[in-house]
Amino acid sequence: MFYIAAAMEVGSRQGKTCIIVKDVAGFFVNRSLAPFMSEVTACVTDGVGLEQLDKAMKSFGMPVGPITLADEVGIDVSTHVGKFMQTKSDLGDRLAGGNPHLMSKMVEQGFLGRKSGKGFYLYPKDAKKGAPKVINPEVASVLKEIVKEDKKVSIEDIQMRIISRFVNEAAYCVQDGIIRNPTDGDIGSVFGIGFPPFIGGPFRMVDHMGAQKFVDMMLRYRDAMGPQFEPCQLLKDHAAQNKKFHPY
């Protein structure tokens, strides 16, 4: 406990808002983000445009869209993290449904994101500050191999498919004792990835939506798309008991 207290004090002195997380692959934020990003590539496979993905998640309240996020982090870094989570984590089907070849093919072609001048978007050196980003036309050849058909996914389904997988994994983190409680999960999500603060975090979202409605939504997605949408037992229990994560 001394080491935990010391680490919390160091973080606090740095102006950070700290939470305690068990030492597992991805810890909390990246662990929850892995299924989220898997669903992003699943949406691309279903014909959702790159700019549409960014716009949909920004309109949901995220600070940046997932395509821009990948470019900023680095496509090579995102690919490495994805492979690490596939091989080193115990998430199993919870990582299913996506297409890991999308970013791997981009790395092969040197499209690493902002740092290489090309990723999903183009980053010309002479671009004026605030100029709108332009999709990298060379990514089109990669997408032709990935996109099988345009399933005309609605904006709401884009948002809910992607965010529900983050929320579900966050709930697993409480269920499995990776984080101490829902409050820590909400704090880590808002400060760690910019989960819309006006929603309050994944657990506040479930409380606001209602656990039963959230579980029913995930079950519909599971039946349509596969076991990656199976809601965790903790969410099912809250739905059955009409229980909230935050009773106030």
Side-chain angles (χ1 to χ4, degrees), residues 54-84:
D54 270 354
K55 288 177 181 177
M57 297 315 294
K58 282 197 72 176
S59 68
F60 180 75
M62 303 296 288
V64 297
I67 302 303
T68 295
L69 177 64
D71 269 1
E72 295 293 341
V73 170
I75 306 299
D76 52 341
V77 175
S78 297
T79 301
H80 175 75
V81 172
K83 289 179 179 178
F84 177 84

Side-chain angles (χ1 to χ4, degrees), residues 30-167:
N30 286 326
R31 190 177 181 86
S32 300
L33 199 58
F36 173 107
M37 291 305 295
S38 177
E39 195 58 31
V40 169
T41 62
C43 286
V44 172
T45 303
D46 286 347
V48 179
L50 303 178
E51 290 173 300
Q52 186 182 8
L53 274 165
D54 270 354
K55 288 177 181 177
M57 297 315 294
K58 282 197 72 176
S59 68
F60 180 75
M62 303 296 288
V64 297
I67 302 303
T68 295
L69 177 64
D71 269 1
E72 295 293 341
V73 170
I75 306 299
D76 52 341
V77 175
S78 297
T79 301
H80 175 75
V81 172
K83 289 179 179 178
F84 177 84
M85 293 302 292
Q86 286 281 356
T87 57
K88 300 298 183 180
S89 75
D90 56 350
L91 301 186
D93 283 343
R94 281 143 47 200
L95 283 177
N99 194 320
H101 302 299
L102 171 59
M103 291 190 184
S104 295
K105 289 180 180 294
M106 291 181 66
V107 172
E108 290 172 9
Q109 296 186 35
F111 305 149
L112 307 183
R114 181 180 289 277
K115 63 187 175 185
S116 68
K118 290 182 180 180
F120 288 108
Y121 293 100
L122 296 176
Y123 300 92
K125 292 182 179 179
D126 59 351
K128 294 181 179 179
K129 187 175 181 180
K133 296 193 298 291
V134 177
I135 292 291
N136 179 3
E138 295 176 89
V139 173
S141 61
V142 178
L143 294 180
K144 284 181 181 178
E145 300 178 32
I146 301 297
V147 180
K148 304 305 179 185
E149 65 174 304
D150 185 354
K151 295 186 178 180
K152 308 294 183 184
V153 183
S154 69
I155 297 297
E156 182 180 4
D157 277 337
I158 293 169
Q159 295 169 338
M160 290 298 103
R161 279 173 55 175
I162 293 172
I163 207 67
S164 68
R165 294 191 63 180
F166 182 97
V167 173

Side-chain angles (χ1 to χ4, degrees), residues 195-212:
F195 197 102
F198 59 87
I199 294 176
F203 298 99
R204 289 286 183 190
M205 177 180 167
V206 174
D207 284 354
H208 178 73
M209 187 174 182
Q212 187 64 64

